Amino acid sequence: MPEIPDLNIFRKNLISKLVGKTLSKLTILIDRQLKVPEAALKEAFEGQVLTDIKRVGKELHFSFGNGHQLGVHLMLHGTMYWYEVKNEYRFTIAELLFDDGTGLAITDWQKAVILTLDPKPVKVPDAMAMPAGYLKKVLPKSSHLIKTVLTEGKTVIGIGNAYVDEILYEAKISPFSIANKIPEENIDVLTKAIKTVLTKAEHHILKNFPDTITEKERDFLQVHRPRETQTLSGEEILKAEIKKRKTYYTADQVLFE
C-alpha cells in the first residue's frame, strides 16, 4: 500500500503533469467499490479544469474548478500509470483522459481501489501534521496495541503497515506494547520517530525515483523486510501477525504492558 512518502512523491509528479488541464473523459471500467453511479462522477468532473491535488492520509484528492473533488485510495495493490490517448494497462479500474491526450490509468488486480465523489473531511490529524503533544494526550486513552492505534486511522492518518513497523523500530517500542502503558518519555521518542522515518523515506524515494507515480520503494527499509531474516544492521527480524497485518520487529524493541 502506498503510504505518506510514496504519495507525496506521486502527488508532486501528478501536479506537474496534470494541473491546469481539462478532464475530457472519465471512464470507469470496474465499479465494484463505487458508492455513486458512474454518471454522477462524469457529471462532476468531465469538462472541468484540474486545479490541485492534495494528499489526505493515504488518499489523493483531485480538486476541480467547479469545487468537486475526486478521492482516490489505492488500497493495497492499486497503481497509477501514464498513457497517451489509448490505455492498454490490464486490471484498469478507471481512466482519466485530459484535453491534451495525457491519460492516467488507475489499476488494481484485486479490484479494491476506492474512488469517492467529494470525500468527507477527516477529523484526526495527519501523521506529518500532529499538534504538539498530541500523542501524549491520546495514547493514554487507548488500551489497544500501539501498532493498531497508529494504523487504524482513528487516531492519526497516513501511516500503513510497512512504515509503522519502521517507526516502532526507530523508536525501539515493541508493536505489542499497549498504548496507554507507554511512558511519556517514550511517546516523545515515538513522535520524533514518526517524522524522522517518513521524512527520510520520502527523501530516498525522491532521490532514486524522482518522476514516479508507480514505485512503492521498500528495499531501503530497516525491519519491514518480508523476504529477509535480518535488518540492514544485522539484527534478527522477528515476524508475527497483528489483526491480520504481517508485523516485523526485533527483540530489543521494548514491550510496555
Side-chain angles (χ1 to χ4, degrees), residues 10-51:
F10 296 175
R11 172 184 175 269
K12 176 185 73 72
N13 292 325
L14 290 165
I15 285 175
S16 177
K17 196 159 183 174
L18 296 179
V19 164
K21 297 178 180 179
T22 299
L23 181 64
S24 297
K25 187 176 182 181
L26 171 63
T27 304
I28 305 296
L29 285 82
I30 298 174
D31 62 2
R32 177 186 294 182
Q33 298 288 2
L34 283 188
K35 304 301 181 184
V36 298
E38 178 182 359
L41 295 178
K42 294 174 77 70
E43 181 179 355
F45 302 120
E46 287 187 348
Q48 298 297 320
V49 176
L50 181 65
T51 59

Side-chain angles (χ1 to χ4, degrees), residues 52-121:
D52 196 10
I53 302 172
K54 297 184 184 299
R55 180 189 60 77
V56 179
K58 288 182 280 187
E59 296 185 8
L60 293 174
H61 291 180
F62 292 67
S63 299
F64 290 83
N66 60 358
H68 285 298
Q69 289 188 330
L70 174 65
V72 178
H73 194 314
L74 294 171
M75 300 303 286
L76 190 60
H77 295 291
T79 308
M80 297 180 292
Y81 298 99
W82 298 119
Y83 69 91
E84 295 296 328
V85 183
K86 184 178 180 181
N87 168 38
E88 297 182 349
Y89 287 100
R90 299 175 64 198
F91 309 117
T92 297
I93 303 295
E95 299 172 348
L96 284 72
L97 182 63
F98 290 83
D99 55 349
D100 67 343
T102 299
L104 179 68
I106 303 172
T107 74
D108 184 2
W109 63 268
Q110 281 193 329
K111 304 177 183 180
V113 162
I114 297 174
L115 304 178
T116 308
L117 174 60
D118 297 329
K120 295 179 181 180

Side-chain angles (χ1 to χ4, degrees), residues 96-241:
L96 284 72
L97 182 63
F98 290 83
D99 55 349
D100 67 343
T102 299
L104 179 68
I106 303 172
T107 74
D108 184 2
W109 63 268
Q110 281 193 329
K111 304 177 183 180
V113 162
I114 297 174
L115 304 178
T116 308
L117 174 60
D118 297 329
K120 295 179 181 180
V122 179
K123 297 181 180 180
V124 299
D126 187 84
M128 294 299 285
M130 293 186 294
Y134 175 71
L135 290 183
K136 284 185 179 180
K137 295 178 181 178
V138 297
L139 293 190
K141 300 175 183 178
S142 176
S143 60
H144 296 292
L145 300 185
I146 186 61
K147 175 161 184 174
T148 301
V149 172
L150 293 178
T151 55
E152 67 184 352
K154 297 178 182 178
T155 300
V156 61
I157 58 172
I159 306 174
N161 195 45
Y163 282 102
V164 75
D165 285 350
E166 293 297 300
I167 289 164
L168 293 173
Y169 172 78
E170 173 77 12
K172 292 295 178 276
I173 295 173
S174 168
F176 293 95
S177 294
I178 306 300
N180 61 15
K181 300 298 183 181
I182 301 174
E184 278 199 4
E185 58 268 28
N186 296 91
I187 295 178
D188 286 335
V189 173
L190 175 61
T191 301
K192 182 179 179 180
I194 290 172
K195 184 158 287 189
T196 296
V197 167
L198 297 177
T199 300
K200 284 184 176 180
E202 183 175 339
H203 290 166
H204 175 90
I205 297 167
L206 184 60
K207 179 180 178 181
N208 291 277
F209 302 96
D211 302 317
T212 187
I213 61 167
T214 62
E215 296 287 346
K216 294 180 279 291
E217 168 67 3
R218 293 290 187 265
D219 289 347
F220 68 97
L221 296 185
Q222 300 292 317
V223 70
H224 190 92
R225 301 168 62 81
R227 296 183 179 87
E228 307 297 333
T229 59
Q230 294 184 333
T231 67
L232 289 181
S233 301
E235 303 154 284
E236 180 186 1
I237 296 175
L238 304 177
K239 302 178 182 181
E241 200 167 276

